[in-house]
Amino acid sequence: MRFLLDGMLGKLARWLRMLGYEASYENDRADHDLLSMAKEGSFILLTADEELYRTATFRGIDSFLVLGKSEPERLAELAGRYKLRLDIDTANSRCPKCGSPIKETAKENVENSIPPATFKVYKTFWVCTNPNCAKVYWQGSHWTKIEQTLGAAKKILDHKPTNPNR
Ligand SMILES: [Zn+2]
């Protein structure tokens, strides 16, 4: 299952990547590029644009109209429709910035890429496997916020029966 997201859904692309899903996103892709990419690459097209959604559906492209206003709402909608797991498994997680897989790395490998205070406090680090990105991750103070957002999404999902026609 691979997703292609329109230019309005950059945040959602980052979430999908963290959850381990392939999510292609660039903020300046034209609608006709999105449509041909989705068709040729067998992507599921996620869009907040009703017209684009209608065109995609008309052309037989698997498309989903994202209506939620907040990230938890959007995640809950998608999880309901595509049976996504709303938990981050660091073994399968992807780099939110570029979408490549991340892998755990020895602490000494990242010493020069992160602030000294971070190096001192945290034990486990992950690095993006794309050499052009190579971003380093750790479960810092932002991690609580990530878990809260996923928790909120799960709550919405639990309270809403999923409609198979959407
Ligand atoms: Zn990356």
Side-chain angles (χ1 to χ4, degrees):
M1 202 157 47
R2 22 201 280 166
F3 298 100
L4 177 65
L5 294 91
D6 80 22
M8 289 183 277
L9 299 175
K11 259 191 175 171
L12 192 60
R14 295 174 70 89
W15 276 105
L16 286 169
R17 290 167 176 172
M18 283 193 275
L19 291 167
Y21 297 98
E22 203 181 318
S24 179
Y25 167 82
E26 269 167 42
N27 61 7
D28 55 357
R29 275 184 194 138
D31 284 2
H32 62 264
D33 289 334
L34 288 166
L35 291 164
S36 57
M37 260 188 87
K39 187 129 206 170
E40 283 155 26
S42 304
F43 285 97
I44 297 166
L45 179 64
L46 304 182
T47 178
D49 176 344
E50 197 168 344
E51 201 184 313
L52 180 59
Y53 167 74
R54 283 182 201 282
T55 309
T57 306
F58 180 73
R59 294 194 192 169
I61 296 163
D62 189 354
S63 180
F64 184 83
L65 182 61
V66 177
L67 296 169
K69 295 286 171 247
S70 68
E71 293 317 306
E73 280 170 12
R74 291 173 166 188
L75 286 167
E77 282 177 357
L78 277 182
R81 173 64 178 81
Y82 295 104
K83 305 277 169 277
L84 309 187
R85 21 161 238 286
L86 292 173
D87 290 295
I88 293 178
D89 172 1
T90 52
N92 294 313
S93 196
R94 289 169 178 264
C95 173
K97 195 177 161 211
C98 78
S100 303
I102 58 166
K103 67 167 198 305
E104 198 174 328
T105 188
K107 198 173 162 162
E108 54 270 23
N109 293 341
V110 300
E111 186 168 5
N112 298 321
S113 330
I114 57 169
T118 303
F119 184 76
K120 222 169 141 182
V121 174
Y122 297 98
K123 286 191 181 73
T124 312
F125 294 89
W126 291 266
V127 65
C128 174
T129 53
N130 170 4
N132 296 321
C133 172
K135 200 167 155 48
V136 179
Y137 295 97
W138 60 94
Q139 291 177 337
S141 53
H142 61 287
W143 189 252
T144 318
K145 248 193 132 188
I146 288 173
E147 302 229 291
Q148 279 168 357
T149 300
L150 292 174
K154 282 182 205 168
K155 239 185 215 158
I156 296 168
L157 188 62
D158 288 346
H159 290 90
K160 257 189 204 158
T162 49
N163 182 345
N165 299 320
R166 264 228 54 209

